Amino acid sequence: MHKKRKVLLYITLGIIWILVTDYIVAQLNSDLQLYILIQQIKGFIFVILSGCFIYYAFVKKEETQAVKAEKEKLEILINSMVDFVNFKDGQGRWTQANDFALKLFQIEHVDYVGKKDSELAEYSEFYREAFYYCEASDEDAWKMGKVSRCIEQIPSPDGTTKTFDTIKVPIFNKDGSRKELVVMGRNITDQVKVEKKLEKSRQNYKSLVEFNPGLVFILNRQGNVLELNPQFNAMTGYDSKDFLGKSIMPLIEKKSKREVIRAFNQILKEQTSWVNQEITVSHKDGSQRIFRCTAVPTMYNDEVFGAIGYAIDVTKEKETEERLRKTEKLSVVGELAASVAHEIRNPLTSIKGFIQFMKSNDNNNQSYYSIILDELERINQISSELLALGKPREVQFDKCDINQIFTSVMWLLESQANLYNVKIEYHRDNTLDRIECEPNQLKQLFINIIKNSIEADSKNVNIHVGDVMNKLQIIIHDDGNGIDEDRMERLGEPFYSSKEKGTGLGLAVSYRIIQAHRGSIHFDSKLNKGTTVTISLPTTHQ
């Protein structure tokens, strides 16, 4: 319909042009040659005007329609986006915005074209501050002169806040003047929430792993370490960095390795847990520690990728249990031994008296009487040891010099050491303070231990005393036969002895004395390389 109107207009104007121009030429009194020239010029002008009309009527219109079609496509595109899209001219006036932007700022009813943010602020009481902020932020983008990116917080009427990742693209004319500013913002509110939850999970993970009082470890399917928490350093003495990507099997003692390998394979194949199992681990200082471990499989999409677990050091706990076990055993055995000793001593006194009487009246069997009396004295000594295992009596502590105690011990053991050809060397320290103790019990303690060293085929016995962390430390070292691992576990048990005539009561009494003095005793021994006994005693008792 629009095209028909343009054609009718063209025909009308053409007829008017011909009639008017012919009339004007007819009024001119000129010769034929001039008349033809004017007609030709009139024709040329008509053709030119006709060409212009056709160009603007058809060609230009097609171009305009093409531009309009592209603009419609652009509007469809930006309106279908879930992002904020806004176009502004060089003066900050809005030229185009998508539906999301209009709805976000609640200005769907406003004719926004040609208005600045500060002007649009008057149409929205709630978003007034947000509009002013956007205008200031746009100015910063222009000054930067290149694509910029920032995180913007936009409040919502419901009390929540939306977070946008905003990109601003300033476009300049060739002369450097401002042409257009394109603003695009993506709503990343959910993403930010997820990241916050992820960060919270990381913090929880960090608290669980890094600040866990136990050792936390993560292993891959090959059994190599992926992660160790700082407790690894404290519990093993090694730097965790030295084991990342490596196996920790070298730290596990031989007797525990088979069980650890079996458990790890079971976790991978059967997806089962390994709960509260005890293993022996080598510390960097050479000692052995007992760890109680728990491990579970790490899984993703029902596939096992390795194991995660934790371990706690129960060495002291096991030592305490062992001391308690020995104490209970000593208590039971001690009560029994004391009652037996009392019953033995009564007839023993009578027998010894009659033997002595018979010896004084019979000169023919003196050697036999001497043997009987020696054995009776031995029975008496055993009875005394049995009595010492009974309920401990009230101990009266006095201030004593440890050097004087050892001087007495050395004097008492001198003859036995000479008999076995053993050299006892005591390293005296005159700087040590007096300690509160029961001197006779300590003498008995030191005599029992040094006698064991003498009878262990030693050639030298060295005794060192010193102050370590406000405690008196006594170290007795010999180069004798040593003690095998099986016997080490049973040291201090009453009636357990490897000696042919031993009763096993000497160390049992020694443990009782250590307990009464609230001290500790530790044996370190290797076969054919000697034994080291370390005794630690508090200097005061309250």
Side-chain angles (χ1 to χ4, degrees):
M1 194 68 181
H2 192 54
K3 291 182 179 180
K4 291 181 178 179
R5 289 180 181 178
K6 288 185 176 181
V7 171
L8 291 174
L9 178 62
Y10 173 73
I11 293 172
T12 303
L13 292 175
I15 294 172
I16 294 172
W17 168 264
I18 294 172
L19 294 174
V20 171
T21 53
D22 284 345
Y23 175 76
I24 294 172
V25 171
Q27 298 298 320
L28 297 174
N29 294 322
S30 57
D31 55 18
L32 180 61
Q33 189 173 4
L34 180 59
Y35 175 80
I36 294 172
L37 179 61
I38 292 173
Q39 288 292 341
Q40 290 176 346
I41 293 172
K42 183 184 72 171
F44 288 138
I45 294 173
F46 181 76
V47 171
I48 292 171
L49 293 174
S50 298
C52 292
F53 175 81
I54 294 171
Y55 174 77
Y56 282 102
F58 297 100
V59 177
K60 197 67 176 178
K61 181 184 178 184
E62 291 179 0
E63 292 180 357
T64 303
Q65 289 178 340
V67 171
K68 185 178 180 181
E70 292 298 325
K71 186 176 180 180
E72 289 176 353
K73 291 180 182 178
L74 178 60
E75 288 180 352
I76 293 172
L77 175 62
I78 65 175
N79 284 324
S80 63
M81 295 173 65
V82 293
D83 299 332
F84 175 96
V85 181
N86 187 12
F87 296 89
K88 301 176 183 179
D89 62 17
Q91 285 71 46
R93 294 186 291 262
W94 286 39
T95 58
Q96 190 173 2
N98 66 345
D99 293 340
F100 183 90
L102 300 177
K103 186 177 180 180
L104 175 66
F105 289 106
Q106 297 181 347
I107 54 172
E108 305 99 313
H109 59 287
V110 179
D111 183 11
Y112 64 85
V113 178
K115 292 182 175 63
K116 295 183 178 182
D117 290 278
S118 56
E119 294 172 338
L120 292 172
E122 302 302 321
Y123 293 92
S124 177
E125 181 69 24
F126 184 82
Y127 287 106
R128 178 173 295 179
E129 294 297 328
F131 276 116
Y132 283 120
Y133 170 80
C134 290
E135 189 166 300
S137 178
D138 292 347
E139 188 62 28
D140 292 337
W142 281 114
K143 290 179 180 179
M144 189 175 294
K146 59 181 181 181
V147 177
S148 61
R149 191 170 187 172
C150 64
I151 302 298
E152 294 182 336
Q153 303 282 345
I154 298 179
S156 298
D158 59 3
T160 61
T161 300
K162 294 181 179 179
T163 304
F164 285 84
D165 182 8
T166 305
I167 297 175
K168 297 188 177 185
V169 184
I171 301 173
F172 296 89
N173 294 310
K174 292 183 179 180
D175 60 0
S177 59
R178 300 177 180 182
K179 180 180 180 181
E180 188 176 26
L181 181 67
V182 182
V183 182
M184 294 174 287
R186 172 155 294 182
N187 188 352
I188 58 171
T189 305
D190 293 337
Q191 179 182 336
V192 170
K193 289 181 180 178
V194 171
E195 289 177 353
K196 286 182 178 179
K197 289 182 180 179
L198 182 60
E199 181 61 26
K200 185 177 180 181
S201 298
R202 290 195 189 102
Q203 292 297 329
N204 291 338
Y205 170 80
K206 183 177 181 180
S207 299
L208 177 64
V209 175
E210 293 191 20
F211 303 116
N212 195 302
L215 190 162
V216 180
F217 56 88
I218 302 177
L219 309 177
N220 60 15
R221 286 188 63 88
Q222 290 70 42
N224 296 327
V225 175
L226 297 178
E227 190 170 349
L228 292 168
N229 72 336
Q231 284 299 319
F232 177 83
N233 305 40
M235 291 172 60
T236 67
Y238 293 96
D239 191 339
S240 58
K241 295 179 182 177
D242 297 335
F243 284 87
L244 292 179
K246 300 177 183 178
S247 173
I248 57 174
M249 290 301 293
L251 297 183
I252 300 175
E253 287 295 314
K254 184 178 180 181
K255 58 185 178 181
S256 299
K257 282 186 178 179
R258 181 176 297 179
E259 173 62 20
V260 170
I261 293 173
R262 184 199 65 77
F264 185 71
N265 290 332
Q266 190 173 3
I267 288 174
L268 297 182
K269 294 178 181 178
E270 301 178 15
Q271 301 179 11
T272 56
S273 301
W274 194 51
V275 182
N276 291 334
Q277 300 298 315
E278 294 179 359
I279 64 173
T280 305
V281 177
S282 298
H283 194 275
K284 191 175 182 179
D285 61 10
S287 62
Q288 293 184 351
R289 307 293 175 89
I290 301 174
F291 288 1
R292 184 175 293 143
C293 301
T294 294
V296 296
T298 54
M299 304 183 65
Y300 181 74
N301 288 339
D302 296 329
E303 184 178 354
V304 179
F305 280 81
I308 182 172
Y310 69 92
I312 56 175
D313 190 339
V314 295
T315 307
K316 291 184 178 180
E317 178 184 330
K318 303 299 288 185
E319 291 175 352
T320 302
E321 289 177 358
E322 181 63 19
R323 284 198 296 269
L324 181 61
R325 183 183 67 83
K326 288 184 177 180
T327 300
E328 291 176 348
K329 184 180 292 187
L330 280 173
S331 179
V332 174
V333 173
E335 291 180 8
L336 176 63
S339 61
V340 171
H342 279 296
E343 295 299 324
I344 291 175
R345 276 194 164 185
N346 289 331
L348 188 64
T349 302
S350 300
I351 294 172
K352 188 175 181 180
F354 280 113
I355 294 297
Q356 288 174 339
F357 175 76
M358 293 172 65
K359 182 181 178 182
S360 63
N361 293 290
D362 186 358
N363 295 325
N364 296 327
N365 298 301
Q366 290 294 315
S367 59
Y368 296 117
Y369 293 131
S370 296
I371 292 173
I372 293 172
L373 287 172
D374 288 344
E375 291 303 313
L376 287 174
E377 181 60 29
R378 175 171 169 73
I379 294 173
N380 186 54
Q381 290 177 356
I382 293 173
S383 299
S384 299
E385 290 179 336
L386 287 171
L387 284 171
L389 287 175
K391 289 185 179 180
R393 64 185 184 276
E394 186 84 24
V395 179
Q396 186 65 40
F397 290 103
D398 296 319
K399 285 276 188 179
C400 300
D401 185 350
I402 192 67
N403 293 304
Q404 291 181 356
I405 293 176
F406 267 106
T407 300
S408 299
V409 170
M410 298 283 287
W411 182 80
L412 291 170
L413 293 174
E414 182 178 359
S415 59
Q416 186 174 6
N418 292 334
L419 179 64
Y420 283 88
N421 195 26
V422 177
K423 180 181 178 183
I424 303 177
E425 187 172 355
Y426 173 64
H427 300 271
R428 188 182 186 93
D429 187 348
N430 294 319
T431 63
L432 295 174
D433 295 330
R434 289 173 173 265
I435 67 168
E436 291 184 9
C437 65
E438 209 294 319
N440 291 325
Q441 285 194 357
L442 287 190
K443 288 178 185 178
Q444 183 65 46
L445 167 66
F446 300 142
I447 287 172
N448 289 343
I449 294 173
I450 297 173
K451 277 182 63 179
N452 286 341
S453 295
I454 292 173
E455 295 170 358
D457 295 334
S458 301
K459 299 300 179 184
N460 297 281
V461 178
N462 288 282
I463 305 168
H464 296 265
V465 293
D467 184 85
V468 178
M469 298 180 66
N470 297 323
K471 288 188 176 183
L472 179 67
Q473 187 179 78
I474 301 104
I475 299 176
I476 302 173
H477 174 74
D478 67 59
D479 56 1
N481 296 331
I483 309 170
D484 61 38
E485 189 174 343
D486 293 336
R487 286 175 53 203
M488 287 281 288
E489 295 179 356
R490 301 189 62 183
L491 288 179
E493 289 187 13
F495 309 113
Y496 173 78
S497 176
S498 61
K499 299 176 185 178
E500 183 179 350
K501 294 184 178 181
T503 61
L505 297 176
L507 280 182
V509 172
S510 298
Y511 273 95
R512 174 75 77 181
I513 294 171
I514 289 290
Q515 181 185 2
H517 282 75
R518 285 181 281 178
S520 64
I521 184 169
H522 175 72
F523 289 83
D524 186 12
S525 182
K526 291 184 179 180
L527 283 176
N528 303 318
K529 290 186 178 181
T531 302
T532 300
V533 182
T534 304
I535 301 170
S536 180
L537 297 172
T539 56
T540 59
H541 293 267
Q542 297 182 4

